[in-house]
Every structure is written in C-alpha cells, then in structure tokens.
C-alpha cells in the first residue's frame, strides 16, 4: 500500500488498483481528500499494470459528503467537480464500493464511477436540502438519469437516506455484496468487468429516463403543489426542483451549469448558513465541558414511570420503542387502564398507517407493565415522575420513591417549570435526581431538556444524555430556573402577544406575522390547540383577561369548536367576530389606548424579548452555549430551521439593533424589557452570541 497523502492510499491487487479513503470521522471530501483522490486516480489510470480501479473507504462509512466546515471559506485546492471529471473520464472501469452512508458529495462521486457495489446495510442519499443547499456536484443531473424524475424529486427534496436494497432495485447500485465482504466483492466485480470488457458506463450519457419526462411539466407542477406545505419558507427545495427540471429540459452540460448557479445562490443566502449552523449545533449539544466522554454511566435496563396520563404514556412509548421494558404506575385502576389503552391506540394507529406491523404493536405492549403500587418500581434503574404539576404532590412522590427504589437508581422529574433542587431535597439522594423534561406529544417531539440540579452527579447526567440518544431524542443540558430554557423564553413571547392584542393587534394578526416568519402556528392558535382552560377554573374566574372571558363563554379552544378562533368541522381556524367583540369590549373596559400596530412591531416585540431572555439564561450559566438554546427552539417549539434559532437570529439581525429596541421599550413600558448584561456587553463590543465560547 502506498500513501498518496495522509488520507488517501493506493495499492494494487493483481490487475486491480484499490484507492482507499481514510479521513475520519465520516471521510468527508476535504481539500486533502480531493487532492489525494485526484492524484491516486491519475496514477492508477497511468499505471500499465492496472486494468480497473476500486474506490473504497476505511472506517464506518463511505464518503458522507462535502466537508461542510469548508463552506463559506475561500476555495482551496482542486474542486469537487474537477475530481469527478477525472474519475468519470478514467479510461478503465471504476467501481465504487459503498458501506455506511454514501451521502451528498459522496454519492455524487459514486455516481461518477462506472459501477457501484454496496453491502446491504448501506444507505444512499442526497441530504444537501437539509443544510439549505442542493447537490452541487452533479447529483441533480445524474440521479434522475438513473432513478427517474419522480424518485429523484422525492430523494433530493427530502434528503432521505435510501436503503441499499431499494437502491439496487432502482439501478443506483449494480450489485449487493455480502455484509462484511465489501472489498472482496468489489474486487471480484472489477475482475469481472475487466474479463467481460464491460463498457465504461457514464451516467451522464444515459438520457432515457430524463427524456421520458420531457414535455410533462405537470410532473413538477403536481410535485410542487403536493409539497407546498412541507416546503413553506424554505428556498432549497424549490432550487432542487428547478435543477431536476433542467436535467429534463437541457443537455447534461447545460444542466450542470444551472445546478452550479443555483447552488452558489443558495450558498450565499442566509438560509443555508442557518441550516448548516443548526446541523453543527445539534452535534455540539452532546459535548458537556465538565462531563467528559469517559464519565461512567448507570446501565438502564428497566424504566419506571409514575403517572399514566398523556405525558407518562408518551414517555413510556419512547422506551418501549427502543426495546427497554417499562413499569407504569397509576393510583387508580381506571386511570391505568385508560393510559395503557391510549398507548395501544397510538400504536394501532401507527400500524394502520403502515409504519409498523401488528406484531410490533404486541411486542411493544408486552414491554409495558401496568401497576398500582410504587413498590413495583423497586428494581428499576431509572424512574421518571410524570404526575400533576404541583410541588407538594411531586415531593411526596419523590419521598416515597426514595424509600422504595434500589441504591444507585436515578430519579427523574418531568416537570416543565418547577424547581428541580427543591424536588431533589425531598430525597436522601439528591445526586441521583435529575430533570427530564419531555415535550408533548412525548413520543413524537424530539427535544428533551435534561435539567441539571445543584447536586446532580456527573454519571447521572452522562446516563441521561446517553439514554436520550438511545431513544432517538436530541438532549440539551440546562440549569434549574422557572421554565428552564424553552418555556422561560416562550413566556416572553406569550406576554408580548397578549399585550399587543390589548394595544390594538388582533390575535390573527399576531399569528399571521409569526407564521409568515416560519413558525408552524402562532401563539393564539397554539393556545386554542392546548386548550384555553389549562389552569383555569370557573369558580375563581374574574373576567380579568381575554382568555378568562373566552373560557367563561365556553370558548375553550379547539376542543369546544371555538376559542380565540372559530373552527369548522375540519378544525380550520377562522378569525372570530365574537372574539373581536370581546377584545374590543375588554380594551374599552380597561381603558387601553388602541393604535395601529405594524407587522414589523409585532415580530420584534414577540422575538426580541425572547432573545434577551436567552441572553439572561446564558449569562446565568443555565445553558452551556447559545447554540444549545437554539437547538431547544428548533426541536421543541417549531422555530424555522432556516432562521437558525433565536440566538442565531439575534446575531443575524445585529445585537445592537435588538438592544436599541429593548431600551426603547424599557423606557416606554418598564423593566420587563431591561436588557441582559450580556446583550449590553456583546453589543458594545460588536460581538455575537456565537463568539461566546
Ligand atoms: C455536500 O455534499 C455538497 C455537495 O453536493 C456539493 C459540493 C460542491 N462535513 O453526525 P455525526 C462531522 S453537503 C464535515 O455525529 P453519525 C460531525 O460534525 C454535505 N463534518 O455521526 C461530527 O463531528 P464531531 C452532504 C461532518 O454517525 C462527526 O462528523 N452530506 C460532516 O451520527 C460525526 O457526525 C451531509 O449532509 C460533513 N459532511 O452520523 C451528511 N458530516 O464529532 C452530513 C459529519 O466533531 N452528515 N461531520 O461533532 C450526516 O448526516 C451524519 O454525520 C452521518 C453520520 C449520517 C454521516
């Protein structure tokens, strides 16, 4: 084996040259990889003994894409497309040997090989859309030439990873190799290609599938229409579609030009920067400076859950889905029965949609054991409390659990707001107490706020983070404080949304501005969905807020067919003249001065106080880094990914601008708008949240 450089090796086995990429962690196409590959291909092409070439990767995966860390920096070395030309024009058969994930630029390189061999566990995809880009190294032109236009539209705009057997069925992979035998299989394929003098098949030349779609613009029109909701606000999916249209309507080289233009346009725009930031932010959250990766963890083989309500049931499903047995405890048999049957119904619905089999439903239900006594949790390694949001009740549960569960077991609370330290103090084992704040519906939402209390031990934190990964969540470590990171910031937005209505905006104005910004729904639609009567009681209601008045009129949200909005039988919200009248009366009674409020003010008033609150969370050390706060908002509250997260957005619009507005509002409306010291400092120093390390 000869090292071409530190990441590329070239060797020969008989008449077959083997080029190996070894650039951990994911063999991304960095400048070194591109240079080494170019040189290796040139050498192998020039070598008289070599009759065919296998391109293979060491480590856990084939090339997983371009090196995203290079984006936005001045280009270095040979370009990816030039490397691809070298590969495609090699005068000897080139066989790409795939394992792991052949993604983005990695798959694009493989598409320039003349043949592709893969082990069955391989997945192929063009996920650039997820980072606000399009496949910019020929993927939009070559993929439809193999898999057809419809499949290319689906793969490129979803970015999904397609399993090898499906790729083989579509012709994207020529041969499946036995698992673990990739190298031998690829070498055998190469020898066969030489022996049979197989053609140097270039994907660029195979036009039948794109020509079949020519003169059928409805394919694209229908696709756009069917996916309008999913693509709303994002620029990359539309650019991907336009590239595939170019593949259909233009000669290959012209299509490549179009792809380049649109790629560069996306790369310059703020959306791709935001989405790339989000990609790395979601990988940073796992890194906790004072909890090193080698921190020991507690093995979690059985989980206990206290409370079989909506949260408890949803949380239980996460563990059952990961094959971890769960014991759920409820106080009353009817409540337990109801909780378990809701879980079963959820699984049956999933099975009905074809996303699991009847057998899977039974397997999961078998992992869930109901009980009416906390004593049955004695052998659990982790117990999650999901009872009513009341400090006394929670403390009582923890006191009891402490006496029952084995030493070393972790006690977790799912509280959304309450003081985890106070709950921990109810036990003799505060170092084993932690917060695990799941978001509703807990079996669907990806976010988990892991709440570190003052005494929580490092192994307990490490275990929680590891377990979150195991059940497919994205975990963010936060400190104790009312509402932790997410709900604490949400409270700012909610307060301003309500205040804006008193000042002259209508709920649907506020919701429209925030949905146009990119949220899936606005604060008032969200309130209607959750139910306006959460925490409301008829006996104590005094018509003191618009919400109370609505509840008193039995307009309690979607479930009663009316709330801030009126709803039809399809639950479509319509601005309500009744609500408008209630609001006008309320304003008149409270003597509020009503004025015209611009969309710009609505947006700024809802978002800037959140950014300011995020800064306070950071300066208090309740979140490790600004990007962790963004991960909370991206995964728990529907913050539009193409706007990075509230902290990224603050940096994007300029912290001096946020600060100026906060000061202005503070002078008009009081200290709720007082700027955080961190915001003041960063703005003064012309720095960003991203600069705070
Ligand atoms: C592209 O190809 C553009 C071209 O079309 C055109 C160009 C002209 N670059 O996710 P993990 C790092 S765009 C740099 O935790 P897993 C990652 O940050 C690209 N770094 O592992 C992490 O670092 P750290 C299209 C990358 O096993 C480490 O690798 N491709 C890249 O859970 C491990 O990552 C994609 O979008 C990269 N491309 O998942 C694929 N990828 O340890 C993006 C990863 O310091 N990657 N890193 O935190 C993935 O989807 C997943 O990483 C993968 C592995 C599935 C591969």
């Amino acid at each position: 084996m000869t090292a071409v450089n530190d990441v590329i090796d070239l060797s020969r086995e008989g008449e077959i040259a083997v080029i190996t990429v070894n650039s951990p962690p994911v063999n991304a196409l960095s400048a070194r990889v591109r240079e080494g590959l170019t040189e290796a291909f040139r050498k192998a092409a020039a070598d008289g003994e070599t009759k065919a070439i296998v391109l293979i990767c060491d480590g856990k995966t084939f090339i997983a894409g371009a090196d995203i860390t290079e984006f936005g920096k001045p280009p270095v070395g040979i370009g990816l497309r030039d490397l691809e030309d070298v590969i495609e024009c090699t005068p000897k058969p080139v066989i790409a040997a795939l394992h792991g994930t052949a993604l983005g630029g990695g798959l694009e390189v493989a598409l320039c090989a003349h043949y592709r061999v893969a082990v069955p566990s391989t997945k192929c995809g063009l996920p650039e859309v997820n980072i606000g880009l399009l496949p910019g190294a020929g993927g939009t032109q070559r993929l439809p030439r193999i898999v057809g236009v419809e499949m290319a539209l689906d793969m490129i705009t979803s970015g999904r990873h397609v399993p090898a057997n499906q790729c083989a069925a579509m012709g994207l992979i020529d041969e499946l190799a036995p698992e673990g035998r990739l190298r031998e299989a690829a070498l055998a394929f190469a020898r066969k290609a030489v022996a049979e003098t197989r053609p140097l098949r270039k994907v660029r030349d195979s036009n039948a599938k794109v020509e079949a779609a020519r003169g059928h613009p409805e394919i694209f029109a229908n696709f756009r229409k069917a996916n309008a909701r999913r693509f709303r606000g994002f620029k990359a999916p539309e650019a991907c579609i336009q590239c595939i249209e170019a593949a259909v309507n233009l000669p290959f080289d012209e299509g490549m030009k179009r792809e380049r233009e649109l790629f560069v346009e996306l790369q310059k725009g703020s959306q791709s920067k935001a989405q790339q930031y989000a990609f790395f932010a979601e990988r940073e959250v796992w890194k906790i400076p004072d909890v090193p990766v080698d921190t020991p963890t507690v093995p979690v083989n059985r989980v206990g859950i206290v409370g079989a309500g909506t949260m408890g049931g949803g949380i239980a499903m996460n563990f059952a889905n990961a094959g971890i047995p769960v014991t759920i405890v409820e106080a009353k048999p009817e409540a337990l029965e109801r909780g378990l049957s809701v879980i079963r119904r959820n699984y049956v619905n999933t099975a009905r949609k074809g996303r699991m089999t009847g057998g899977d439903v039974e397997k999961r239900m078998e992992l869930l054991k109901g009980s009416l006594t906390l004593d049955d949790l004695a052998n659990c390694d982790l117990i999650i409390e999901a009872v009513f949001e009341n400090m006394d009740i929670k403390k009582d549960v923890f006191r009891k659990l402490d006496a029952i569960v084995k030493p070393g077991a972790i006690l977790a609370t799912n509280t959304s707001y309450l003081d985890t330290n106070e709950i921990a103090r109810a036990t003799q084992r505060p170092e084993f107490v932690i917060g695990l704040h799941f978001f509703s519906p807990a079996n669907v939402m990806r976010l988990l706020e892991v709440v570190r209390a003052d005494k929580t031990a490092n192994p307990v934190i490490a275990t929680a983070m590891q377990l979150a990964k195991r059940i497919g969540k994205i975990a963010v470590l936060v400190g104790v404080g009312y509402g932790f990171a997410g709900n604490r910031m949400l409270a700012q937005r909610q307060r301003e949304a309500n205040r804006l209505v008193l000042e002259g905006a209508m709920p649907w104005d506020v919701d429209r501005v925030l949905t146009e910004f990119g949220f899936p729904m606005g604060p008032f639609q969200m309130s209607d969905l959750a139910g306006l009567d959460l925490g409301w009681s008829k006996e104590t209601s005094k018509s003191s807020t618009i919400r109370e008045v609505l509840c008193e009129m039995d307009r309690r949200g979607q479930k009663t067919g009316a709330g801030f909005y009126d709803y039809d039988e399809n639950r479509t919200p319509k601005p309500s003249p009744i609500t408008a009248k209630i609001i006008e009366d309320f304003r008149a009674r409270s003597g509020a001065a009503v004025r015209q409020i611009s969309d710009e003010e609505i947006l700024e008033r809802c978002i800037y106080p959140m950014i300011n609150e995020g800064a306070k969370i950071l300066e208090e050390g309740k979140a490790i880094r600004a990007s962790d706060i963004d991960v909370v908002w991206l995964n728990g509250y529907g913050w539009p990914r193409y706007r990075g997260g509230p902290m990224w957005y603050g940096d994007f619009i300029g912290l001096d601008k946020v600060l100026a507005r906060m000061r202005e509002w503070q002078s008009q409306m009081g200290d709720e708008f007082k700027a955080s010291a961190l915001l003041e400092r960063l703005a003064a120093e012309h720095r960003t949240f991203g600069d705070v390390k």
Side-chain angles (χ1 to χ4, degrees), residues 71 202 217 281 296 318 339 368 434 559:
F71 290 171
K202 292 183 186 166
N318 286 295
L368 301 169
I434 195 164
K559 60 186 169 190

Side-chain angles (χ1 to χ4, degrees), residues 25-26 60 64-68 101 105 108 127-128 135-136 279-280 283 287:
V26 296
K60 63 177 185 177
D67 185 342
I68 307 172
T101 42
E108 291 174 299
E128 286 86 344
F279 175 88
F280 287 113
R283 281 153 181 86
K287 297 169 192 162

Side-chain angles (χ1 to χ4, degrees), residues 363-512:
K363 245 188 248 156
R364 280 165 211 208
M365 289 309 293
E366 273 162 27
L367 287 169
L368 301 169
K369 189 172 140 235
S371 163
L372 295 169
T373 164
L374 292 176
D375 294 336
D376 280 345
L377 302 178
N379 283 325
C380 291
D381 306 300
L382 162 71
I383 297 91
I384 304 172
E385 160 281 308
V387 301
F388 192 66
E389 191 76 343
N390 171 293
M391 183 53 97
D392 290 337
I393 299 176
K394 291 203 189 266
K395 276 172 33 182
D396 186 48
V397 168
F398 271 74
R399 214 172 287 124
K400 287 181 179 148
L401 285 174
D402 192 26
I404 292 169
V405 304
K406 63 185 179 189
I410 299 174
L411 297 179
T413 170
N414 177 50
T415 181
S416 329
Y417 288 96
L418 300 176
D419 182 347
T420 317
N421 284 322
E422 194 177 337
I423 295 173
R425 281 196 294 273
T427 72
Q428 303 297 313
R429 59 173 96 194
E431 65 279 17
F432 285 93
V433 176
I434 195 164
L436 292 180
H437 179 212
F438 287 82
F439 286 68
S440 188
N443 54 318
V444 177
M445 297 293 287
R446 274 189 81 207
L447 179 65
L448 179 68
E449 277 182 326
V450 174
V451 186
R452 170 186 217 160
D454 290 348
K455 298 216 165 128
T456 311
N458 281 359
V460 174
I461 295 171
T463 303
M465 299 301 284
Q466 193 186 61
L467 194 62
K469 252 194 184 157
R470 206 167 140 201
I471 61 172
K473 298 287 173 198
I474 179 145
V476 180
L477 187 67
V478 294
V480 177
Y482 191 75
F484 311 119
N487 282 343
R488 178 170 164 184
M489 288 163 73
L490 180 69
Q492 297 286 317
R493 190 183 81 173
Q494 197 60 48
R495 187 196 65 219
E496 286 317 297
N498 291 336
R499 198 162 10 202
L500 284 161
V501 167
L502 290 182
E503 290 173 27
M506 278 295 167
W508 30 95
D509 297 326
V510 177
D511 285 351
R512 176 181 48 75

Side-chain angles (χ1 to χ4, degrees), residues 257-437:
K257 264 192 213 143
R258 186 77 189 119
E259 183 193 87
R260 183 79 210 152
E261 278 162 21
L262 290 171
F263 181 85
V264 170
E265 212 171 280
L266 287 178
Q267 205 180 22
K268 279 193 196 143
S270 65
Q271 291 204 351
S272 71
K273 292 188 180 80
Q275 288 175 254
Q276 283 158 41
Y277 162 86
F279 175 88
F280 287 113
E282 287 178 350
R283 281 153 181 86
E284 279 292 298
V285 281
W286 307 101
K287 297 169 192 162
I288 305 168
D290 64 336
V291 183
V293 275
D294 56 359
T295 305
T297 53
V298 180
V300 176
N301 298 316
R302 173 166 280 282
V303 171
I305 292 175
V306 187
T310 314
M311 277 320 280
I315 295 170
M317 288 173 74
N318 286 295
F319 293 101
N321 294 347
I324 303 170
V326 181
T327 304
I328 311 180
V329 177
E330 251 301 343
K332 297 218 171 75
E334 313 81 71
L336 180 61
E337 204 41 54
R338 203 180 319 123
L340 289 170
S341 60
V342 169
I343 296 177
R344 175 175 282 282
R345 199 165 59 228
N346 282 337
Y347 280 138
V348 168
N349 282 341
T350 309
R352 216 171 269 150
K353 289 179 198 147
R355 285 197 252 121
M356 64 165 67
T357 65
D360 293 336
V361 175
E362 294 315 316
K363 245 188 248 156
R364 280 165 211 208
M365 289 309 293
E366 273 162 27
L367 287 169
L368 301 169
K369 189 172 140 235
S371 163
L372 295 169
T373 164
L374 292 176
D375 294 336
D376 280 345
L377 302 178
N379 283 325
C380 291
D381 306 300
L382 162 71
I383 297 91
I384 304 172
E385 160 281 308
V387 301
F388 192 66
E389 191 76 343
N390 171 293
M391 183 53 97
D392 290 337
I393 299 176
K394 291 203 189 266
K395 276 172 33 182
D396 186 48
V397 168
F398 271 74
R399 214 172 287 124
K400 287 181 179 148
L401 285 174
D402 192 26
I404 292 169
V405 304
K406 63 185 179 189
I410 299 174
L411 297 179
T413 170
N414 177 50
T415 181
S416 329
Y417 288 96
L418 300 176
D419 182 347
T420 317
N421 284 322
E422 194 177 337
I423 295 173
R425 281 196 294 273
T427 72
Q428 303 297 313
R429 59 173 96 194
E431 65 279 17
F432 285 93
V433 176
I434 195 164
L436 292 180
H437 179 212

